[in-house]
């Protein structure tokens, strides 16, 4: 059987899509509902009840049986947590609390401050003091108003927010089925990288340790380790061979320089190339390889190339695929000025975006050399510029940042 891989220098769109397609969703596990926040839902959450379960009052006041008062006060107050057994006739009223189940025969509820009670004992009456209430079903929250039993409330593949877990609990769930996290290890290759202090001639401050563990976590990966690897074939091979993480991200060593060993090391450990460089700038040398169900993503040493070509183009869709989430969506915007791109490569461009009367305009930032981070640090989105570039006020695709 011949494999469709490796893809050598595919287009940016194919690389982005392929990194998602090759990842099969991981197993799932059951967690208490509150622990679901931040996790990715593995199965749809359906309502286990008609929500709300009861027809209740939205106000403290009086449930009345008809539109015309005064109404005689009857016993059997409908307080929250207590179901009144009363059946109201059109001339009856019963005390009701917010959240109380409305008795049968209720025409509507009048809030307490819009009423007056007169008489005493068995001859107590209530009258309305404002014309606005009651009306049919005033302040009544009908059963099933928010959802019907079995209705899908949160679809599988959603990263759960606090509001999602609250909704799931209100719909009767104690536990939720969420995706197991994909473990991830980050290997920083290179002799010249300095982990702290002021870089001197021949050195660069490492751009990856300060961002990638948190960045990978934002993508839903569970970072199990971070290792700095010297620039030798042995050390690189050894690092790849000993990593048991599901996703191994390396930085540096992707090009053809005298100390760029990544391709050879990947071959030595038996990894099969899936994507070998991408027709994009910056980020051309990014690669994706796999060994069984383990993925290796090789990012270039240049910080912007690693962020745009590696994290945004390969690692994010891969993480989404492993977590059973959709491929990150591309939206569209208009360019506020022309943006250049090479004749045969897609260019990823950090931009700022402005909403002008409902239309989004994107503007290219300065500082976009592949060794820089200042442009991306000031961006709120990334524009995907097709080969050849675009003019002013042209439609372009836009990717949201992960943060
Ligand atoms: N002859 C060729 N040379 C290069 C090519 C090519 O096709 N042919 N491609 C260029 C492109 S494009 C890129 S991108 C880089 C890729 O470089 P590598 O992945 O091999 O990475 P290094 O050579 O190790 O480093 C490149 C650059 O990045 C700096 N770096 C490395 N690690 C870090 C770090 N942790 N933090 C900050 N900066 C880092 C390093 O000092 C270099 O300046 O290759 C081009 N060359
Ligand atoms: O791909 Mo390199 O990132 O153009 O500098």
């Amino acid at each position: 059987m011949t494999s469709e891989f490796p893809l050598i220098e595919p287009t940016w769109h194919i690389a982005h899509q392929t990194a998602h397609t090759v990842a099969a969703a991981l197993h799932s596990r059951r967690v208490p509902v509150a622990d679901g926040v931040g996790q990715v839902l593995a199965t749809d959450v359906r309502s286990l009840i008609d929500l709300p379960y009861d027809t209740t009052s939205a106000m403290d006041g009086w449930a009345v049986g008809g539109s015309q008062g005064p109404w005689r006060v009857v016993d059997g107050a409908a307080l929250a947590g207590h179901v009144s057994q009363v059946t109201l006739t059109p001339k009856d009223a019963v005390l009701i609390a917010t959240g109380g189940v409305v008795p049968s025969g209720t025409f509507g509820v009048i809030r307490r401050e819009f009423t007056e009670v007169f008489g005493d004992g068995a001859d107590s009456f209530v009258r309305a003091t404002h014309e606005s209430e009651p009306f049919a079903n005033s302040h009544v929250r009908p059963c099933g108003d928010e959802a019907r039993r079995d209705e899908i409330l949160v679809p599988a593949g959603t990263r759960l927010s606090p509001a999602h877990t609250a909704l799931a609990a209100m719909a009767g769930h104690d536990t939720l089925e969420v995706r197991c996290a994909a473990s991830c290890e980050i290997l920083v290759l290179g002799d010249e990288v300095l982990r702290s202090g002021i870089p001197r001639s021949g050195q660069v401050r490492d751009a990856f340790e300060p961002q990638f563990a948190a960045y990978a976590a934002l993508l839903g990966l569970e970072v199990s380790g971070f290792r700095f690897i010297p620039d030798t074939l042995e050390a690189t091979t050894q690092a790849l061979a000993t990593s048991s993480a599901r996703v191994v991200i390396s930085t540096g060593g992707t090009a053809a320089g005298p100390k760029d060993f990544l391709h050879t090391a990947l071959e030595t450990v038996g990894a099969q190339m899936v994507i070998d460089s991408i027709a994009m700038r910056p980020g051309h040398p990014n690669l994706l390889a796999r060994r069984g169900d383990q993925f290796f993503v090789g990012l270039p040493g240049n910080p912007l190339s690693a962020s745009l070509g590696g994290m945004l183009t390969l690692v994010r869709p891969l993480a989404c695929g492993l977590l059973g989430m959709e491929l990150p969506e591309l939206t569209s915007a208009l360019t506020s000025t022309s943006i250049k791109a090479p004749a045969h490569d897609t260019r990823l461009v950090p931009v700022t975006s402005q909403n002008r009367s409902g239309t989004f305009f994107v503007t290219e930032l300065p500082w976009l050399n592949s060794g820089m981070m200042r442009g991306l640090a000031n961006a709120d989105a990334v524009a995907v510029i097709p080969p050849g570039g675009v003019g002013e006020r042209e439609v372009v695709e836009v990717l949201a940042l992960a943060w």
Side-chain angles (χ1 to χ4, degrees):
M1 195 177 81
T2 56
S3 163
E4 60 196 297
F5 300 123
L7 302 176
I8 313 281
E9 229 186 335
T11 64
W12 179 84
H13 286 89
I14 289 178
H16 188 239
Q17 174 70 64
T18 301
H20 185 256
T21 317
V22 291
L26 294 165
H27 294 115
S28 58
R29 65 200 168 104
R30 207 150 255 287
V31 295
V33 69
D35 293 351
V37 176
Q39 308 284 324
V40 178
L41 197 59
T43 52
D44 296 336
V45 169
R46 291 174 181 269
S47 187
L48 300 178
I49 51 171
D50 287 336
L51 183 65
Y53 189 81
D54 288 308
T55 297
T56 57
S57 173
M59 292 284 176
D60 295 316
W62 296 92
V64 295
S67 59
Q68 296 301 317
W71 301 269
R72 177 183 291 278
V73 174
V74 297
D75 287 340
L79 306 178
H82 172 83
V83 180
S84 169
Q85 302 304 322
V86 170
T87 297
L88 299 177
T89 71
K91 282 293 176 190
D92 291 341
V94 73
L95 196 60
I96 195 161
T98 303
V101 179
V102 300
S104 56
T106 297
F107 168 74
V109 170
I110 318 174
R111 70 186 87 177
R112 189 171 206 150
E113 56 275 32
F114 284 12
T115 60
E116 202 170 71
V117 179
F118 60 96
D120 59 343
D123 282 328
S124 292
F125 294 87
V126 178
R127 75 170 144 246
T129 54
H130 289 64
E131 279 179 12
S132 55
E133 297 178 15
F135 52 88
N137 293 316
S138 49
H139 307 307
V140 170
R141 288 186 181 145
C143 154
D145 199 22
E146 189 168 2
R148 283 294 166 195
R149 192 193 151 117
D150 217 33
E151 197 180 319
I152 294 177
L153 298 177
V154 193
T158 303
R159 190 184 296 283
L160 295 168
S161 70
H164 289 130
T165 53
L167 175 62
M170 288 168 74
H173 292 272
D174 296 322
T175 59
L176 295 170
E177 193 73 20
V178 297
R179 287 282 162 212
C180 295
S183 60
C184 167
E185 189 177 20
I186 299 158
L187 310 175
V188 177
L189 314 180
D191 291 334
E192 76 278 36
V193 295
L194 184 71
R195 295 175 68 182
S196 62
I198 308 292
R200 305 289 176 205
S201 182
Q203 298 177 321
V204 285
R205 259 304 287 274
D206 166 46
F208 301 126
E209 191 178 25
Q211 60 162 327
F212 278 175
Y215 193 165
L218 275 182
L219 302 179
L221 300 171
E222 204 168 79
V223 180
S224 57
F226 213 106
R227 282 192 275 164
F228 284 78
I229 313 297
D231 261 339
T232 66
L233 175 59
E234 296 68 38
T236 307
T237 310
Q238 169 79 358
L240 296 179
T242 53
S243 182
S244 58
R246 176 73 65 138
V247 179
V248 182
I249 300 174
S250 63
T251 66
T254 58
K259 293 204 156 195
D260 295 333
F261 303 117
L262 189 63
H263 283 81
T264 316
L266 283 167
E267 206 179 303
T268 309
V269 302
Q272 316 270 301
M273 207 55 93
V274 175
I275 295 171
D276 192 359
S277 72
I278 307 169
M280 70 178 292
R281 297 285 161 173
H284 180 259
N286 278 280
L287 61 85
L288 174 65
R290 71 184 303 171
R291 182 177 58 182
D293 55 14
Q294 185 177 37
F295 291 96
F296 297 94
V297 196
L299 279 45
N302 278 321
L304 189 61
S305 312
S307 282
L308 298 180
M311 297 304 277
L312 207 58
T313 303
L314 298 177
V315 179
R316 182 159 72 167
L318 182 70
C320 287
L322 291 169
L323 292 168
M325 297 169 77
E326 302 277 329
L327 182 68
E329 196 192 355
L330 286 156
T331 56
S332 56
L334 290 183
T335 52
S336 60
T337 56
S338 62
I339 304 182
K340 291 187 175 136
H344 302 292
D345 292 330
T346 298
R347 188 171 163 232
L348 255 50
V349 177
V351 291
T352 51
S353 49
Q354 295 92 32
N355 181 348
R356 296 189 209 148
S357 314
T359 304
F360 276 91
F361 281 83
V362 290
T363 307
E364 179 176 6
L365 281 151
W367 317 294
L368 298 184
N369 173 313
S370 63
M372 298 176 175
M373 281 304 279
R374 192 170 168 186
L376 185 57
N378 281 280
D380 57 32
V382 172
V384 180
I385 306 299
V390 291
E392 185 184 333
R393 295 185 74 91
E394 278 194 42
V395 178
V396 287
E397 291 178 308
V398 175
L399 266 179
L401 295 170
W403 52 84

